[in-house]
Amino acid sequence: MAFKVETLSFSQWAAAWAEPAGADPGAACLFQSPAYLSLWLDTMGRARRTEPVFVRVDTTDGRRVMLLPLGVERRHGLKTLTFLDGGVVDYAGPVRLGPAAGEIDWEGAQALWAALRAALPAFDIADLDKMPAEIEGTPNPLRWLATASQPSGWALPLEGAYDDYQRGLNPYAVDSRRKRRRLQDLGPVSFEIAREPLVARQFYDAMVEQKTRRYLETAGKDYFQTPGWSAYFSQVAAREDFGRQVHLSALKVGDRIVATHLGMISGDTFYWLMPTYEAGPVAKLSPGRLLMEELIGWCYGAGIRSFDFGHGDEDYKARMGGRRRSLLRLVRGDSLAGRAALKVARSKPARAVQDFYWSKLYRPPKPA
């Protein structure tokens, strides 16, 4: 199989997204949609000085293979080819796959990579991570090139009724009822969704305060100081399509916000993205988990079919009924400097440092 690779402007790429392909556009991942990428480029992309590279791949006989939203940015002095992420994206990969994508075998993947390298701007290292093994019901054509597995993605299929889920699948249901009663001793408990800008701003400010504290506790770093993060999350929360694509909610005791969540909706999937909760004695009553259960119940009522817990292998995701989604990572050196850097990074001393960092210094917080 031979390939034709084109680099497009963002507007051309967005138009190609809208063309008929092997699956409906709504089935593609939220994080690679033109609307989302426009926001990402204006915030994260600008702050990170990412050079976006929008790619279309067809076979030489004119059949659609895929679209790729890529970028080149400097990491440790090396030009790195990556998806448009910067730490705020749960899933990435090719999108709008055509039928030809499913025909690519190992040999075809090597030819595909050669065609991509020839068409893309120069880079030292390719680091394409968080890729689902299957996209839009079609095997990911880059899976043959993946060199490592990522932490998994997890999603809860919303089948049957919420009451059935609480009785049969949620192992925390009894404990949650007990803690909710204790929370009610402090004041009336309410679940609220931001539906107008003033409320959204209140919830957002509480979210930043609570999440900053949690980042400092678990990682010793305020990630909202990472270039682009504050502008990105602020613009997401400020969108006026509350309850449709952007979803900002809170659990309150009286007028006190004890937990918040900033998520997104795409098609029939709800994405659990940025949960926070208040510190102190109230944290022992698991307000973050109570808010998650409220959101799952809301999704059942809204006709949402999947509650996506996102990227990461925290225990609670499987315990709450989540199903694992395999994710892949492609890492390749494309220059002498890039190959040398990867060789050093893969050495035993370097791996030991990385293992220590991830196991000791950063522990992803569980919902309280």
Side-chain angles (χ1 to χ4, degrees):
M1 186 179 292
F3 301 96
K4 175 186 176 183
V5 178
E6 298 176 272
T7 57
L8 308 176
S9 69
F10 180 61
S11 60
Q12 290 172 326
W13 191 86
W17 169 283
E19 295 174 1
D24 183 82
C29 183
L30 162 71
F31 305 107
Q32 283 76 54
S33 67
Y36 176 87
L37 291 175
S38 177
L39 185 150
W40 190 96
L41 291 169
D42 286 343
T43 54
M44 295 294 295
R46 179 175 288 118
R48 296 173 67 86
R49 299 180 180 177
T50 303
E51 176 190 349
V53 185
F54 294 101
V55 176
R56 175 175 182 151
V57 181
D58 299 297
T59 61
T60 51
D61 59 3
R63 293 184 296 150
R64 163 75 67 86
V65 176
M66 62 183 177
L67 301 178
L68 281 167
L70 302 172
V72 176
E73 54 189 35
R74 287 277 181 180
R75 294 183 184 176
H76 307 291
L78 298 175
K79 288 185 176 182
T80 303
L81 179 72
T82 182
F83 290 118
L84 304 178
D85 180 354
V88 298
V89 165
D90 274 337
Y91 304 112
V95 289
R96 304 297 284 122
L97 276 60
E103 301 172 13
I104 296 174
D105 57 13
W106 184 90
E107 185 176 343
Q110 311 311 309
L112 172 61
W113 184 246
L116 285 168
R117 288 180 59 211
L120 293 171
F123 60 90
D124 297 303
I125 292 175
D127 187 0
L128 306 180
D129 63 351
K130 303 179 185 176
M131 292 193 295
E134 184 176 282
I135 299 169
E136 303 170 0
T138 300
N140 182 347
L142 298 181
R143 72 194 186 283
W144 300 103
L145 305 170
T147 54
S149 296
Q150 286 280 286
S152 306
W154 292 84
L156 170 68
L158 304 183
E159 301 166 339
Y162 178 62
D163 288 344
D164 295 333
Y165 167 74
Q166 286 288 80
R167 285 194 296 266
L169 285 177
N170 183 3
Y172 301 107
V174 173
D175 183 62
S176 292
R177 286 195 294 271
R178 178 179 61 84
K179 289 183 174 178
R180 189 181 187 92
R181 287 194 296 269
R182 291 179 59 192
L183 202 60
Q184 288 171 335
D185 292 339
L186 305 177
V189 176
S190 61
F191 163 63
E192 298 183 16
I193 298 170
R195 301 191 187 277
E196 55 94 13
L198 180 60
V199 175
R201 191 70 217 184
Q202 293 171 345
F203 290 2
Y204 176 77
D205 289 344
M207 182 196 84
V208 171
E209 180 182 348
Q210 293 172 2
K211 199 65 173 182
T212 296
R213 169 194 56 81
R214 190 61 173 153
Y215 279 144
L216 292 172
E217 289 175 354
T218 58
K221 175 182 178 180
D222 178 6
Y223 281 92
F224 284 103
Q225 299 304 313
T226 302
W229 271 51
S230 181
Y232 165 82
F233 284 107
S234 179
Q235 285 202 27
V236 169
R239 292 185 60 141
E240 295 184 359
D241 52 357
F242 304 118
R244 295 197 293 276
Q245 186 178 51
V246 175
H247 193 280
L248 185 56
S249 60
L251 190 73
K252 299 174 71 174
V253 177
D255 292 330
R256 176 181 169 191
I257 298 174
V258 295
T260 73
H261 178 259
L262 175 62
M264 291 187 180
I265 300 169
S266 180
D268 59 4
T269 299
F270 183 96
Y271 290 91
W272 167 260
L273 299 178
M274 178 65 77
T276 74
Y277 59 90
E278 185 179 298
V282 74
K284 296 180 180 179
L285 301 180
S286 303
R289 190 177 77 213
L290 295 177
L291 177 55
M292 177 191 287
E293 291 175 350
E294 290 279 7
L295 285 167
I296 292 174
W298 179 87
C299 287
Y300 268 99
I304 302 294
R305 298 181 61 187
S306 177
F307 189 93
D308 197 305
F309 292 116
H311 171 258
D313 289 318
E314 295 85 355
D315 290 343
Y316 76 88
K317 296 178 181 180
R319 293 196 65 193
M320 292 194 72
R323 295 180 185 173
R324 183 175 178 271
R325 185 186 195 188
S326 296
L327 300 179
L328 306 172
R329 184 178 190 179
L330 185 163
V331 182
R332 290 195 173 196
D334 200 61
S335 69
L336 182 61
R339 289 189 290 271
L342 289 179
K343 185 175 181 180
V344 171
R346 289 166 176 163
S347 67
K348 288 185 178 179
R351 289 202 306 272
V353 170
Q354 293 168 4
D355 290 345
F356 176 82
Y357 175 81
W358 289 110
S359 64
K360 304 297 183 184
L361 300 184
Y362 176 66
R363 294 173 180 169
K366 299 177 182 178

